[in-house]
Structure formats: structure tokens, C-alpha cells
Amino acid sequence: MMKVLLTGFEPFGQENMNPSWEAVKAFPELMEDVEVLKICLPVSFQKAVMILEQTIDDYRPDVVLSIGQGGGRYEIEVERVAINMADSKKPDNDGYQPQECQLRADAPNAYFSNLPLKRMVEAIQDEGIPATISNSAGLYVCNSVLYTALHLVYSKYPNMQAGFIHVPYLPCQVVGKNKQPSMSTETTVQALIAVIQALMACNQMV
Ligand code: PCA
């Protein structure tokens, strides 16, 4: 049994939906040999990280897979790196707007995801869904969530794997936006299922 913590985010900015939480919500409850815990994180630098850390300590997942809205992205993007930095052009949902703030003192400048990223991208592409590796998760709340999960991997839970996937807007979010890319929840869920199956295969659990 592989224990997976699957996280999405609440809406932020001008949006009233977040494709990441829509996909996590719709992810199948029952998958063979997989136990999934789903949580919706607030778009808050402070709270998201606290809730994530507490949930990892309590649930002790094998895999933490966090999903976030990557508005403007054309493909499913599997993130490679998290940076020890928070810097934001817009306030988070608590009104906090960090400017070049370190996330953790006495911790490395960056961490790489320890998930098999190329395998994950291939698994998504094999479904006929566009996907790529991204080398920047930005410096907003998504990056801080990935950084925190990886900090726990490298400092506390060496057998845990952690990664982050940015997904495009939902079709309903781009109505009236000028030529913005989008992807349906159904397609995003199909991609996430393929990713989990690929991780099961890599971890030789199937
Ligand atoms: N995307 C934002 C934060 C929450 C979300 O869904 C980001 O890319 O940082």
C-alpha cells in the first residue's frame, strides 16, 4: 500500500475556483494499493506550510504530491526545484506580500524534487496529455509548499518522496481572458492518475 498525500489549493486573486483543488477533489477515492489523503491548502504563505507540515507529521505519507494552479501554463508542468525564497507581486489570501524573504534560515538555497520526474511526464504524455518538466515553481505559495515538503524529506523523512505539479486554468476560468490556455478537470485527473500509477511502478508496488 502506497500512502499518498494529495494537496490542492483554494482559489486566490480574482479567481473563484482553483483547478488544483477541483482535480484533487475529483481524484478517485479508491485506487488499488493506494491510500490517498486529500487536503485543500489555503493560499497563505504562513498557514499552507504549517498545515502541510502538521499533516505530514500526522499522516506519514510515502508520497506528497501537491498540485497548484499555474495560470497561463499550456501543459501540465512537473516541478523540479523549490527555492528558499518568498517574493510576491501580489498579496496572499491573508494580505501578506513577502519581498525576498528566506523561507527557512539555516537551510539550503534550493531542493530538487526526489520524484522520478521524467517518468511522470512520460506517463502523462502516454495518455495523450501535454506535459513537461518545469525548472521554476515561482516564488509564491506553491514554491513554499514544495520547499517545505522537500525540507522534511531531506531533514526528517528520507524515505518520503515529494513533488509539485502546476496545472493550467480550467476552461471556465479563461472565458473572457484573452487567449489563455486551459484544461478540463477530467483531463487533469486522468494525468494525475497516470502519475500515481507511474510512481507505484517505480516504487515496485505493482
Ligand atoms: N498557485 C499559486 C499558489 C496557489 C496556486 O494554486 C502558485 O503557483 O504559487
Side-chain angles (χ1 to χ4, degrees):
M1 183 69 83
M2 186 171 84
K3 281 172 82 174
V4 179
L5 172 61
L6 202 54
T7 79
F9 279 104
E10 67 181 5
F12 65 104
Q14 308 300 316
E15 306 300 326
N16 53 25
M17 283 178 110
N18 190 316
S20 65
W21 179 237
E22 296 306 314
V24 170
K25 253 195 312 191
F27 191 88
E29 298 291 337
L30 290 175
M31 231 175 117
E32 214 179 321
D33 295 325
V34 182
E35 184 187 296
V36 182
L37 177 66
K38 304 172 182 185
I39 57 168
C40 182
L41 294 172
V43 182
S44 155
F45 279 99
Q46 271 194 325
K47 290 185 202 141
V49 159
M50 273 173 42
I51 293 169
L52 182 78
E53 190 161 350
Q54 189 62 57
T55 309
I56 290 172
D57 283 340
D58 292 344
Y59 184 59
R60 300 294 307 275
D62 299 302
V63 174
V64 182
L65 190 61
S66 297
I67 320 297
Q69 167 183 303
R73 300 196 191 210
Y74 285 80
E75 302 180 275
I76 303 240
E77 298 199 357
V78 181
E79 298 295 345
R80 192 195 304 273
V81 56
I83 304 177
N84 190 5
M85 169 79 56
D87 187 79
S88 176
K89 292 191 190 70
K90 47 193 190 273
D92 68 10
N93 286 355
D94 287 339
Y96 174 57
Q97 189 173 355
Q99 299 293 306
E100 294 189 319
C101 294
Q102 223 188 2
L103 293 172
R104 284 188 191 245
D106 305 320
N109 288 338
Y111 288 120
F112 290 132
S113 171
N114 62 343
L115 286 174
L117 306 182
K118 291 203 172 181
R119 258 315 291 135
M120 291 160 69
V121 166
E122 279 164 15
I124 300 169
Q125 290 174 336
D126 286 346
E127 296 290 312
I129 300 168
T132 189
I133 292 179
S134 158
N135 292 312
S136 174
L139 295 173
Y140 198 49
V141 181
C142 292
N143 171 71
S144 66
V145 160
L146 179 57
Y147 188 88
T148 299
L150 290 171
H151 183 71
L152 289 172
V153 167
Y154 291 106
S155 63
K156 201 170 176 187
Y157 301 123
N159 295 326
M160 189 169 82
Q161 290 179 300
F164 197 100
I165 296 182
H166 266 117
V167 300
Y169 281 133
L170 295 167
C172 65
Q173 290 180 283
V174 302
V175 174
K177 289 195 177 94
N178 195 18
K179 296 188 179 119
Q180 285 288 313
S182 67
M183 190 175 278
S184 72
T185 297
E186 198 185 16
T187 302
T188 301
V189 170
Q190 193 185 341
L192 296 182
I193 293 171
V195 163
I196 297 298
Q197 283 168 345
L199 296 181
M200 293 282 288
C202 285
N203 293 339
Q204 291 175 337
M205 296 182 94
V206 285

